[in-house]
Amino acid sequence: LALYFHIGEREEKCIIEDIPSDTLVVGNYKVQRWDIHKHDFLESAPGLGMFVTVTSPSGEVLLSKLYGPQGTFSFTSYLSGEHIICFQSNSTRFARILLDIRVGEHFLDESAIQAKDKVNEVNVRLEHLIEQIHHVTREQDYEREREEKFRKTSEETNSNILWWAIVQTLILISVGIWQIKSLRDFFISKKLV
């Protein structure tokens, strides 16, 4: 997930990320301040900072830390669900935040790979692929759980709709029979039949 957004003076902006359990999340950000004279965003000045807060689906705070004008944060999800990632600038000026979030990815250090021989390179890449396979498996398990919950809710809703239709039909039949009986009694009492 790569995006940018504007943030005002000490304003807090949050994004919601749906993350499976036991997944590493790594975020890189960069704060650029607005220059009134040049009418453009400039590279961050010293003293600018970003306060990052991450909250789990249960409301537990997983990360709450003040970083500099540019940095990397990471956390591991312990529960599946929607995690709230909030950013708040300590700047008193309008700023832009460039954000890149990687879910379940471990980055390869290309310089370390080039420095090692071919066998180690293959070994490191193989380990990276195995980590990615584990991540995909966890993601599929999480999606399977969500689909199962959705299917159960849909089946319960369909069952409730069926029973409601049966109750409505019985009420309509009862009202119809009562109306016919009432009309027949009325006609008999007035000696019209």
Side-chain angles (χ1 to χ4, degrees):
L1 170 69
L3 58 103
Y4 77 91
F5 53 90
H6 297 110
I7 192 166
E9 176 182 338
R10 303 201 190 280
E11 178 183 4
E12 183 178 58
K13 294 269 183 154
C14 297
I15 61 171
I16 297 173
E17 191 70 30
D18 203 357
I19 304 169
S21 63
D22 297 324
T23 302
L24 177 67
V25 178
V26 178
N28 294 311
Y29 73 90
K30 183 177 185 180
V31 180
Q32 297 176 323
R33 66 178 172 83
W34 177 254
D35 189 302
I36 297 173
H37 304 294
K38 294 184 180 179
H39 297 288
D40 194 14
F41 288 98
L42 303 177
E43 294 304 313
S44 301
L48 279 181
M50 185 60 58
F51 192 74
V52 180
T53 306
V54 179
T55 309
S56 73
S58 65
E60 177 187 356
V61 176
L62 299 177
L63 175 71
S64 182
K65 189 174 177 183
L66 179 64
Y67 292 91
Q70 178 172 329
T72 300
F73 63 92
S74 64
F75 66 94
T76 301
S77 63
Y78 297 105
L79 293 173
S80 299
E82 294 180 341
H83 289 68
I84 301 171
I85 304 171
C86 296
F87 301 91
Q88 185 176 13
S89 172
N90 68 354
S91 172
T92 57
R93 292 184 175 180
F94 187 68
R96 175 170 65 185
I97 299 170
L98 306 171
L99 177 64
D100 182 26
I101 295 180
R102 303 275 184 206
V103 176
E105 238 180 75
H106 298 277
F107 300 106
L108 288 174
D109 184 4
E110 293 296 332
S111 62
I113 290 173
Q114 291 174 358
K116 299 185 181 203
D117 62 9
K118 291 293 182 184
V119 174
N120 286 338
E121 179 180 343
V122 170
N123 189 25
V124 169
R125 288 190 185 275
L126 184 62
E127 287 175 4
H128 180 71
L129 286 174
I130 290 171
E131 285 179 12
Q132 286 181 331
I133 289 170
H134 289 304
H135 171 67
V136 168
T137 304
R138 283 194 304 271
E139 186 80 28
Q140 286 176 335
D141 289 342
Y142 177 61
E143 292 300 326
R144 196 173 295 119
E145 287 174 20
R146 289 183 60 194
E147 189 273 333
E148 188 176 313
K149 286 179 187 176
F150 179 75
R151 186 173 5 98
K152 184 177 177 184
T153 303
S154 296
E155 288 171 357
E156 289 173 0
T157 303
N158 286 337
S159 175
N160 291 340
I161 289 172
L162 174 66
W163 284 110
W164 179 243
I166 291 171
V167 168
Q168 280 183 323
T169 303
L170 292 175
I171 290 172
L172 285 173
I173 290 172
S174 300
V175 168
I177 292 171
W178 176 78
Q179 283 181 337
I180 290 171
K181 185 180 179 311
S182 296
L183 279 174
R184 193 178 65 126
D185 291 345
F186 174 75
F187 288 140
I188 289 175
S189 70
K190 294 293 184 182
K191 296 183 182 178
L192 295 173
V193 176

mmCIF file with all atom_site columns, all heavy atoms in Angstrom, residues 99-113:
data_model
loop_
_atom_site.group_PDB
_atom_site.id
_atom_site.type_symbol
_atom_site.label_atom_id
_atom_site.label_alt_id
_atom_site.label_comp_id
_atom_site.label_asym_id
_atom_site.label_entity_id
_atom_site.label_seq_id
_atom_site.pdbx_PDB_ins_code
_atom_site.Cartn_x
_atom_site.Cartn_y
_atom_site.Cartn_z
_atom_site.occupancy
_atom_site.B_iso_or_equiv
_atom_site.pdbx_formal_charge
_atom_site.auth_seq_id
_atom_site.auth_comp_id
_atom_site.auth_asym_id
_atom_site.auth_atom_id
_atom_site.pdbx_PDB_model_num
ATOM 1   N N   . LEU A 1 99  ? 3.651  7.609   2.326  1.00 0.00 ? 99  LEU A N   1
ATOM 2   C CA  . LEU A 1 99  ? 3.569  6.407   3.143  1.00 0.00 ? 99  LEU A CA  1
ATOM 3   C C   . LEU A 1 99  ? 3.600  5.162   2.265  1.00 0.00 ? 99  LEU A C   1
ATOM 4   O O   . LEU A 1 99  ? 2.933  5.096   1.239  1.00 0.00 ? 99  LEU A O   1
ATOM 5   C CB  . LEU A 1 99  ? 2.264  6.443   3.959  1.00 0.00 ? 99  LEU A CB  1
ATOM 6   C CG  . LEU A 1 99  ? 1.950  5.245   4.830  1.00 0.00 ? 99  LEU A CG  1
ATOM 7   C CD1 . LEU A 1 99  ? 2.987  5.101   5.931  1.00 0.00 ? 99  LEU A CD1 1
ATOM 8   C CD2 . LEU A 1 99  ? 0.564  5.410   5.441  1.00 0.00 ? 99  LEU A CD2 1
ATOM 9   N N   . ASP A 1 100 ? 4.369  4.174   2.695  1.00 0.00 ? 100 ASP A N   1
ATOM 10  C CA  . ASP A 1 100 ? 4.433  2.879   2.013  1.00 0.00 ? 100 ASP A CA  1
ATOM 11  C C   . ASP A 1 100 ? 4.332  1.804   3.089  1.00 0.00 ? 100 ASP A C   1
ATOM 12  O O   . ASP A 1 100 ? 5.195  1.732   3.975  1.00 0.00 ? 100 ASP A O   1
ATOM 13  C CB  . ASP A 1 100 ? 5.740  2.746   1.232  1.00 0.00 ? 100 ASP A CB  1
ATOM 14  C CG  . ASP A 1 100 ? 5.822  1.438   0.466  1.00 0.00 ? 100 ASP A CG  1
ATOM 15  O OD1 . ASP A 1 100 ? 4.761  0.880   0.130  1.00 0.00 ? 100 ASP A OD1 1
ATOM 16  O OD2 . ASP A 1 100 ? 6.948  0.974   0.200  1.00 0.00 ? 100 ASP A OD2 1
ATOM 17  N N   . ILE A 1 101 ? 3.270  0.990   3.035  1.00 0.00 ? 101 ILE A N   1
ATOM 18  C CA  . ILE A 1 101 ? 3.057  -0.066  4.036  1.00 0.00 ? 101 ILE A CA  1
ATOM 19  C C   . ILE A 1 101 ? 3.134  -1.411  3.342  1.00 0.00 ? 101 ILE A C   1
ATOM 20  O O   . ILE A 1 101 ? 2.468  -1.642  2.340  1.00 0.00 ? 101 ILE A O   1
ATOM 21  C CB  . ILE A 1 101 ? 1.696  0.108   4.741  1.00 0.00 ? 101 ILE A CB  1
ATOM 22  C CG1 . ILE A 1 101 ? 1.694  1.397   5.554  1.00 0.00 ? 101 ILE A CG1 1
ATOM 23  C CG2 . ILE A 1 101 ? 1.409  -1.093  5.640  1.00 0.00 ? 101 ILE A CG2 1
ATOM 24  C CD1 . ILE A 1 101 ? 0.410  1.660   6.286  1.00 0.00 ? 101 ILE A CD1 1
ATOM 25  N N   . ARG A 1 102 ? 3.955  -2.288  3.896  1.00 0.00 ? 102 ARG A N   1
ATOM 26  C CA  . ARG A 1 102 ? 4.114  -3.647  3.379  1.00 0.00 ? 102 ARG A CA  1
ATOM 27  C C   . ARG A 1 102 ? 3.590  -4.614  4.443  1.00 0.00 ? 102 ARG A C   1
ATOM 28  O O   . ARG A 1 102 ? 4.068  -4.611  5.571  1.00 0.00 ? 102 ARG A O   1
ATOM 29  C CB  . ARG A 1 102 ? 5.579  -3.972  3.091  1.00 0.00 ? 102 ARG A CB  1
ATOM 30  C CG  . ARG A 1 102 ? 6.229  -3.022  2.136  1.00 0.00 ? 102 ARG A CG  1
ATOM 31  C CD  . ARG A 1 102 ? 5.960  -3.441  0.733  1.00 0.00 ? 102 ARG A CD  1
ATOM 32  N NE  . ARG A 1 102 ? 6.690  -2.546  -0.166 1.00 0.00 ? 102 ARG A NE  1
ATOM 33  C CZ  . ARG A 1 102 ? 6.313  -2.315  -1.382 1.00 0.00 ? 102 ARG A CZ  1
ATOM 34  N NH1 . ARG A 1 102 ? 5.252  -2.890  -1.860 1.00 0.00 ? 102 ARG A NH1 1
ATOM 35  N NH2 . ARG A 1 102 ? 7.002  -1.509  -2.142 1.00 0.00 ? 102 ARG A NH2 1
ATOM 36  N N   . VAL A 1 103 ? 2.620  -5.447  4.047  1.00 0.00 ? 103 VAL A N   1
ATOM 37  C CA  . VAL A 1 103 ? 2.020  -6.410  4.971  1.00 0.00 ? 103 VAL A CA  1
ATOM 38  C C   . VAL A 1 103 ? 2.587  -7.790  4.688  1.00 0.00 ? 103 VAL A C   1
ATOM 39  O O   . VAL A 1 103 ? 2.496  -8.280  3.569  1.00 0.00 ? 103 VAL A O   1
ATOM 40  C CB  . VAL A 1 103 ? 0.482  -6.426  4.814  1.00 0.00 ? 103 VAL A CB  1
ATOM 41  C CG1 . VAL A 1 103 ? -0.141 -7.487  5.708  1.00 0.00 ? 103 VAL A CG1 1
ATOM 42  C CG2 . VAL A 1 103 ? -0.093 -5.060  5.123  1.00 0.00 ? 103 VAL A CG2 1
ATOM 43  N N   . GLY A 1 104 ? 3.211  -8.380  5.705  1.00 0.00 ? 104 GLY A N   1
ATOM 44  C CA  . GLY A 1 104 ? 3.705  -9.751  5.590  1.00 0.00 ? 104 GLY A CA  1
ATOM 45  C C   . GLY A 1 104 ? 4.895  -9.918  4.693  1.00 0.00 ? 104 GLY A C   1
ATOM 46  O O   . GLY A 1 104 ? 5.170  -11.020 4.240  1.00 0.00 ? 104 GLY A O   1
ATOM 47  N N   . GLU A 1 105 ? 5.609  -8.864  4.419  1.00 0.00 ? 105 GLU A N   1
ATOM 48  C CA  . GLU A 1 105 ? 6.748  -8.963  3.510  1.00 0.00 ? 105 GLU A CA  1
ATOM 49  C C   . GLU A 1 105 ? 8.030  -8.721  4.273  1.00 0.00 ? 105 GLU A C   1
ATOM 50  O O   . GLU A 1 105 ? 8.112  -7.842  5.110  1.00 0.00 ? 105 GLU A O   1
ATOM 51  C CB  . GLU A 1 105 ? 6.620  -7.923  2.400  1.00 0.00 ? 105 GLU A CB  1
ATOM 52  C CG  . GLU A 1 105 ? 6.601  -8.547  1.041  1.00 0.00 ? 105 GLU A CG  1
ATOM 53  C CD  . GLU A 1 105 ? 6.477  -7.506  -0.031 1.00 0.00 ? 105 GLU A CD  1
ATOM 54  O OE1 . GLU A 1 105 ? 7.472  -6.832  -0.300 1.00 0.00 ? 105 GLU A OE1 1
ATOM 55  O OE2 . GLU A 1 105 ? 5.391  -7.375  -0.571 1.00 0.00 ? 105 GLU A OE2 1
ATOM 56  N N   . HIS A 1 106 ? 9.022  -9.497  3.967  1.00 0.00 ? 106 HIS A N   1
ATOM 57  C CA  . HIS A 1 106 ? 10.364 -9.274  4.501  1.00 0.00 ? 106 HIS A CA  1
ATOM 58  C C   . HIS A 1 106 ? 11.228 -8.884  3.313  1.00 0.00 ? 106 HIS A C   1
ATOM 59  O O   . HIS A 1 106 ? 11.283 -9.588  2.310  1.00 0.00 ? 106 HIS A O   1
ATOM 60  C CB  . HIS A 1 106 ? 10.902 -10.544 5.167  1.00 0.00 ? 106 HIS A CB  1
ATOM 61  C CG  . HIS A 1 106 ? 10.060 -10.967 6.322  1.00 0.00 ? 106 HIS A CG  1
ATOM 62  N ND1 . HIS A 1 106 ? 10.192 -10.432 7.562  1.00 0.00 ? 106 HIS A ND1 1
ATOM 63  C CD2 . HIS A 1 106 ? 9.035  -11.852 6.403  1.00 0.00 ? 106 HIS A CD2 1
ATOM 64  C CE1 . HIS A 1 106 ? 9.321  -10.986 8.382  1.00 0.00 ? 106 HIS A CE1 1
ATOM 65  N NE2 . HIS A 1 106 ? 8.601  -11.853 7.696  1.00 0.00 ? 106 HIS A NE2 1
ATOM 66  N N   . PHE A 1 107 ? 11.882 -7.767  3.437  1.00 0.00 ? 107 PHE A N   1
ATOM 67  C CA  . PHE A 1 107 ? 12.644 -7.245  2.310  1.00 0.00 ? 107 PHE A CA  1
ATOM 68  C C   . PHE A 1 107 ? 13.996 -7.927  2.212  1.00 0.00 ? 107 PHE A C   1
ATOM 69  O O   . PHE A 1 107 ? 14.637 -8.236  3.209  1.00 0.00 ? 107 PHE A O   1
ATOM 70  C CB  . PHE A 1 107 ? 12.843 -5.729  2.470  1.00 0.00 ? 107 PHE A CB  1
ATOM 71  C CG  . PHE A 1 107 ? 11.544 -4.996  2.517  1.00 0.00 ? 107 PHE A CG  1
ATOM 72  C CD1 . PHE A 1 107 ? 11.075 -4.492  3.714  1.00 0.00 ? 107 PHE A CD1 1
ATOM 73  C CD2 . PHE A 1 107 ? 10.782 -4.821  1.383  1.00 0.00 ? 107 PHE A CD2 1
ATOM 74  C CE1 . PHE A 1 107 ? 9.869  -3.823  3.768  1.00 0.00 ? 107 PHE A CE1 1
ATOM 75  C CE2 . PHE A 1 107 ? 9.587  -4.157  1.423  1.00 0.00 ? 107 PHE A CE2 1
ATOM 76  C CZ  . PHE A 1 107 ? 9.135  -3.653  2.609  1.00 0.00 ? 107 PHE A CZ  1
ATOM 77  N N   . LEU A 1 108 ? 14.413 -8.171  1.008  1.00 0.00 ? 108 LEU A N   1
ATOM 78  C CA  . LEU A 1 108 ? 15.747 -8.730  0.773  1.00 0.00 ? 108 LEU A CA  1
ATOM 79  C C   . LEU A 1 108 ? 16.765 -7.605  0.752  1.00 0.00 ? 108 LEU A C   1
ATOM 80  O O   . LEU A 1 108 ? 16.538 -6.567  0.150  1.00 0.00 ? 108 LEU A O   1
ATOM 81  C CB  . LEU A 1 108 ? 15.777 -9.444  -0.578 1.00 0.00 ? 108 LEU A CB  1
ATOM 82  C CG  . LEU A 1 108 ? 15.032 -10.762 -0.682 1.00 0.00 ? 108 LEU A CG  1
ATOM 83  C CD1 . LEU A 1 108 ? 15.057 -11.249 -2.118 1.00 0.00 ? 108 LEU A CD1 1
ATOM 84  C CD2 . LEU A 1 108 ? 15.628 -11.797 0.231  1.00 0.00 ? 108 LEU A CD2 1
ATOM 85  N N   . ASP A 1 109 ? 17.878 -7.820  1.411  1.00 0.00 ? 109 ASP A N   1
ATOM 86  C CA  . ASP A 1 109 ? 18.972 -6.859  1.377  1.00 0.00 ? 109 ASP A CA  1
ATOM 87  C C   . ASP A 1 109 ? 19.857 -7.241  0.186  1.00 0.00 ? 109 ASP A C   1
ATOM 88  O O   . ASP A 1 109 ? 20.670 -8.151  0.268  1.00 0.00 ? 109 ASP A O   1
ATOM 89  C CB  . ASP A 1 109 ? 19.744 -6.917  2.695  1.00 0.00 ? 109 ASP A CB  1
ATOM 90  C CG  . ASP A 1 109 ? 20.841 -5.877  2.753  1.00 0.00 ? 109 ASP A CG  1
ATOM 91  O OD1 . ASP A 1 109 ? 20.953 -5.072  1.795  1.00 0.00 ? 109 ASP A OD1 1
ATOM 92  O OD2 . ASP A 1 109 ? 21.587 -5.869  3.740  1.00 0.00 ? 109 ASP A OD2 1
ATOM 93  N N   . GLU A 1 110 ? 19.649 -6.534  -0.926 1.00 0.00 ? 110 GLU A N   1
ATOM 94  C CA  . GLU A 1 110 ? 20.348 -6.883  -2.166 1.00 0.00 ? 110 GLU A CA  1
ATOM 95  C C   . GLU A 1 110 ? 21.869 -6.750  -2.029 1.00 0.00 ? 110 GLU A C   1
ATOM 96  O O   . GLU A 1 110 ? 22.608 -7.523  -2.617 1.00 0.00 ? 110 GLU A O   1
ATOM 97  C CB  . GLU A 1 110 ? 19.855 -6.002  -3.322 1.00 0.00 ? 110 GLU A CB  1
ATOM 98  C CG  . GLU A 1 110 ? 18.411 -6.268  -3.711 1.00 0.00 ? 110 GLU A CG  1
ATOM 99  C CD  . GLU A 1 110 ? 18.170 -7.664  -4.264 1.00 0.00 ? 110 GLU A CD  1
ATOM 100 O OE1 . GLU A 1 110 ? 19.100 -8.262  -4.839 1.00 0.00 ? 110 GLU A OE1 1
ATOM 101 O OE2 . GLU A 1 110 ? 17.056 -8.176  -4.107 1.00 0.00 ? 110 GLU A OE2 1
ATOM 102 N N   . SER A 1 111 ? 22.356 -5.791  -1.261 1.00 0.00 ? 111 SER A N   1
ATOM 103 C CA  . SER A 1 111 ? 23.806 -5.636  -1.123 1.00 0.00 ? 111 SER A CA  1
ATOM 104 C C   . SER A 1 111 ? 24.409 -6.836  -0.393 1.00 0.00 ? 111 SER A C   1
ATOM 105 O O   . SER A 1 111 ? 25.506 -7.292  -0.732 1.00 0.00 ? 111 SER A O   1
ATOM 106 C CB  . SER A 1 111 ? 24.137 -4.342  -0.381 1.00 0.00 ? 111 SER A CB  1
ATOM 107 O OG  . SER A 1 111 ? 23.600 -4.380  0.931  1.00 0.00 ? 111 SER A OG  1
ATOM 108 N N   . ALA A 1 112 ? 23.705 -7.378  0.582  1.00 0.00 ? 112 ALA A N   1
ATOM 109 C CA  . ALA A 1 112 ? 24.208 -8.556  1.294  1.00 0.00 ? 112 ALA A CA  1
ATOM 110 C C   . ALA A 1 112 ? 24.191 -9.776  0.391  1.00 0.00 ? 112 ALA A C   1
ATOM 111 O O   . ALA A 1 112 ? 25.097 -10.613 0.445  1.00 0.00 ? 112 ALA A O   1
ATOM 112 C CB  . ALA A 1 112 ? 23.371 -8.816  2.542  1.00 0.00 ? 112 ALA A CB  1
ATOM 113 N N   . ILE A 1 113 ? 23.168 -9.868  -0.447 1.00 0.00 ? 113 ILE A N   1
ATOM 114 C CA  . ILE A 1 113 ? 23.083 -11.012 -1.359 1.00 0.00 ? 113 ILE A CA  1
ATOM 115 C C   . ILE A 1 113 ? 24.221 -10.975 -2.373 1.00 0.00 ? 113 ILE A C   1
ATOM 116 O O   . ILE A 1 113 ? 24.841 -11.994 -2.679 1.00 0.00 ? 113 ILE A O   1
ATOM 117 C CB  . ILE A 1 113 ? 21.714 -11.028 -2.075 1.00 0.00 ? 113 ILE A CB  1
ATOM 118 C CG1 . ILE A 1 113 ? 20.627 -11.391 -1.066 1.00 0.00 ? 113 ILE A CG1 1
ATOM 119 C CG2 . ILE A 1 113 ? 21.697 -12.018 -3.230 1.00 0.00 ? 113 ILE A CG2 1
ATOM 120 C CD1 . ILE A 1 113 ? 19.228 -11.287 -1.597 1.00 0.00 ? 113 ILE A CD1 1
#
